[in-house]
Amino acid sequence: MTDKARVLVVDDEPDIRALLQLTLSRMGLGSVLADSLAAARAHLAEGSYALCLTDMRLPDGDGIELIREIQGLPEELPCAMITAHGNVELAVESLKAGAFDFLSKPVDLKALRTLISSAVKGQRQPRERRSRHLLLGDSEPMRRLRGMIAKVSRSQAPIYISGESGTGKELVARLIHQQSMRADGPFVPVNCGALPTELMESELFGHRKGSFTGAVADNPGMFVSADRGTLFLDEVAELPLHMQVKLLRAIQERAVRPVGAPREVSVDARLLSATHKPLEQMVGSGEFRQDLYYRINVIELKVPPLRERRQDLPQLIEHILRQQAGAGALPRLDAAALQALQAYPFPGNVRELENILQRAHTLCEGSVIGREHLQLPDSPPTLPAGPTATGTSAHGAAPTPLEGPLRERTIATPAPADLDQHLEAIERETILQALEAHRWNKTATAKALGISFRALRYRLKKLEME
Ligand SMILES: Nc1ncnc2c1ncn2[C@@H]1O[C@H](COP(=O)(O)OP(=O)(O)OP(=O)(O)O)[C@@H](O)[C@H]1O
Ligand SMILES: [Mg+2]
């Protein structure tokens, strides 16, 4: 039973089969060759394999069919698809069907070896390690999310993590990395919103010493730093269009060209991305490139807002208080405080809960946190724009006094002494209503308000409504 691991190679071209067989044997792996789907099925029925490499077009069907069938087998078998060069749709389709990666023809030997070793290595040490990061919550949506995380961790597909601000998107990204076969490699988070525009290219793709003023040393860049690991593009919606083009190229070529470097450097990094913005709508309004969107969003994980899983609150509260108390006495919430939190809409989700509890812990002095220590806002806060912002507690949570009036927001009665503030309130309200009416599509909103897109962005920034 301890003979060398075998790879099932499915391709109707004898040259490719020979090339793959040779590469595999040099890596100490055996191969079993099939020239059709039927032959592949027969081999699958009689033996077990460490990996399946399949061509797309086969005389009796296509490789995607085979990949789907393999997903249904009782034993886990990583699959990779070999596609004609540049056929992105098929590559993406194969990832969706369950392939963990794909290669394009002509087969690049280095990429092939990397793919084989990561697949085989991943199998030899199935990863059951306990995670340092805890994604708490036993509600149905969180259980589903954890299941999805476990599933996508096994693949190399790019994952797009969506969800409102503070829901735990970064936590999800870290978990995916940790449970993947890249766990021993680096996890490199990049906050695209925090990179200054002038430095974006060199930060992402690196630069050579002396390539521009201030480049006093070589910088590998985030992509290369994530080699053999995971690159997490956080707030990916913030990338300006010209960087989106460069990013797309880097993903397609699996290579980057550092500023001032003579040639490209190949990179093997898995891509995860996230944003709290409605990326799909940004594609519609031309703010985000559609081709890039398809490339990063092969599989989408939606992180649910806290108000749609209120039953997770007690567990989260206990965990956060425990963390904050450290070695000190563990504070607890009295019934009124707990009830107030159960009714609160949490526009800032788990991060807001952390902040509220931190403040309450500081204010309460004793060991019991009361409602007054929570300092929840009297007026209902505005729910953020977001792909999952439904604005109501549609998922089983009790209707709350704070959520009721959200749809009929009214302008605060003006304090006559403060005209500026009053005007600002009107401006804010007008923009908000227009945004809602146009489903948070800024282009349409600007048009409806009779101002330019730029002017709208400026106002949103000024009013801190971004
Ligand atoms: N399910 C959860 N269990 C435990 N902690 C959580 C959970 N969800 C979020 N957190 C905690 O909440 C905080 C915010 O999470 P995180 O930074 O991942 O959110 P985010 O979605 O990336 O937010 P933003 O959109 O603002 O960047 C972190 O401290 C994280 O550890
Ligand atoms: Mg984040």
Side-chain angles (χ1 to χ4, degrees):
M1 273 321 274
T2 50
D3 56 348
K4 57 186 175 182
R6 296 185 310 167
V7 174
L8 179 60
V9 173
V10 190
D11 202 308
D12 57 341
E13 279 176 64
D15 288 354
I16 302 254
R17 288 199 303 269
L19 172 78
L20 295 175
Q21 186 176 27
L22 185 66
T23 309
L24 289 163
S25 87
R26 287 197 176 140
M27 295 177 75
L29 295 164
S31 41
V32 172
L33 308 177
D35 58 3
S36 64
L37 280 185
R41 287 187 185 117
H43 289 307
L44 281 171
E46 73 193 16
S48 64
Y49 305 90
L51 167 68
C52 171
L53 287 172
T54 178
D55 188 17
M56 177 63 215
R57 226 182 306 266
L58 293 158
D60 52 349
D62 66 49
I64 288 185
E65 265 177 65
L66 184 65
I67 290 178
R68 287 210 186 92
E69 285 172 28
I70 289 176
Q71 305 314 302
L73 296 179
E75 226 173 299
E76 197 185 317
L77 168 54
C79 300
M81 170 77 87
I82 303 171
T83 60
H85 183 69
N87 199 331
V88 177
E89 290 81 45
L90 281 182
V92 165
E93 207 187 315
S94 65
L95 292 176
K96 285 191 170 159
F100 81 98
D101 206 353
F102 62 89
L103 277 177
S104 23
K105 280 184 191 171
V107 176
D108 174 62
L109 279 184
K110 190 166 166 262
L112 174 65
R113 282 194 212 107
T114 311
L115 181 149
I116 295 170
S117 56
S118 57
V120 175
K121 182 178 142 226
Q123 265 219 336
R124 278 195 191 141
Q125 27 172 285
R127 218 157 277 285
E128 280 304 330
R129 49 171 78 184
R130 281 302 296 155
S131 167
R132 277 178 290 126
H133 304 285
L134 278 179
L135 187 71
L136 298 176
D138 282 325
S139 58
E140 185 48 35
M142 286 312 271
R143 263 191 250 173
R144 222 176 310 132
L145 180 63
R146 273 197 299 271
M148 286 287 285
I149 292 173
K151 205 169 144 193
V152 303
S153 295
R154 283 184 240 129
S155 99
Q156 304 270 38
I159 309 290
Y160 166 59
I161 306 164
S162 66
E164 290 174 15
S165 136
T167 43
K169 297 185 291 299
E170 178 157 356
L171 192 57
V172 168
R174 288 183 186 275
L175 280 169
I176 294 175
H177 172 72
Q178 233 175 51
Q179 296 180 14
S180 78
M181 49 200 178
R182 293 171 174 267
D184 294 330
F187 176 84
V188 179
V190 184
N191 186 340
C192 300
L195 294 173
T197 321
E198 329 77 71
L199 291 181
M200 232 173 224
E201 180 168 2
S202 79
E203 285 295 312
L204 277 173
F205 305 128
H207 65 244
R208 291 284 175 265
K209 180 179 168 181
S211 54
F212 55 89
T213 328
V216 291
D218 279 3
N219 171 11
M222 311 276 200
F223 256 87
V224 172
S225 305
D227 196 29
R228 291 168 179 277
T230 305
L231 183 69
F232 174 47
L233 294 175
D234 202 1
E235 303 305 347
V236 70
E238 306 301 327
L239 281 180
L241 284 165
H242 73 278
M243 285 308 296
Q244 294 177 21
V245 180
K246 295 203 158 124
L247 174 62
L248 179 67
R249 220 189 107 73
I251 298 173
Q252 271 167 350
E253 303 298 321
R254 299 184 189 206
V256 296
R257 181 165 175 164
V259 179
R263 64 182 77 81
E264 295 198 322
V265 185
S266 60
V267 183
D268 164 36
R270 185 192 191 175
L271 198 74
L272 306 178
S273 53
T275 171
H276 64 279
K277 292 201 173 165
L279 206 53
E280 204 176 341
Q281 287 172 33
M282 291 178 70
V283 171
S285 62
E287 292 163 275
F288 201 85
R289 289 183 65 103
Q290 185 164 39
D291 44 11
L292 180 60
Y293 176 70
Y294 285 140
R295 231 29 227 277
I296 62 174
N297 182 10
V298 170
I299 296 170
E300 176 172 355
L301 290 190
K302 290 189 178 145
V303 189
L306 192 48
R307 65 182 167 281
E308 287 177 10
R309 47 185 180 98
R310 292 183 188 277
Q311 62 268 50
D312 292 343
L313 266 172
Q315 197 185 7
L316 281 167
I317 291 170
E318 154 133 26
H319 171 75
I320 294 168
L321 287 176
R322 207 175 275 284
Q323 266 184 336
Q324 290 174 354
L330 186 68
R332 58 175 192 85
L333 268 69
D334 68 17
L338 193 59
Q339 203 177 8
L341 285 180
Q342 283 288 1
Y344 184 65
F346 290 104
N349 295 291
V350 185
R351 179 172 303 106
E352 185 181 15
L353 176 65
E354 287 178 343
N355 295 340
I356 290 171
L357 292 176
Q358 174 97 61
R359 194 172 53 212
H361 190 189
T362 316
L363 291 176
C364 79
E365 288 169 356
S367 61
V368 179
I369 294 175
R371 191 185 199 290
E372 69 280 12
H373 301 127
L374 298 173
Q375 299 202 326
L376 299 177
D378 296 331
S379 55
T382 310
L383 290 179
T388 51
T390 53
T392 52
S393 50
H395 295 268
T400 66
L402 286 176
E403 283 185 317
L406 274 178
R407 295 287 106 185
E408 316 123 45
R409 226 177 280 99
T410 46
I411 301 167
T413 352
D418 199 336
L419 181 63
D420 277 350
Q421 225 176 5
H422 178 49
L423 291 176
E424 214 179 281
I426 294 178
E427 194 179 359
R428 189 187 297 271
E429 187 59 24
T430 312
I431 292 178
L432 210 53
Q433 277 173 5
L435 278 169
E436 281 187 340
H438 295 89
R439 318 194 81 236
W440 307 92
N441 179 325
K442 285 189 200 149
T443 308
T445 304
K447 209 162 160 190
L449 292 170
I451 57 177
S452 71
F453 181 73
R454 268 177 166 282
L456 176 63
R457 285 243 310 237
Y458 168 78
R459 286 186 150 81
L460 288 173
K461 237 202 176 93
K462 191 189 76 181
L463 297 169
E464 294 178 330
M465 293 168 71
E466 283 280 38

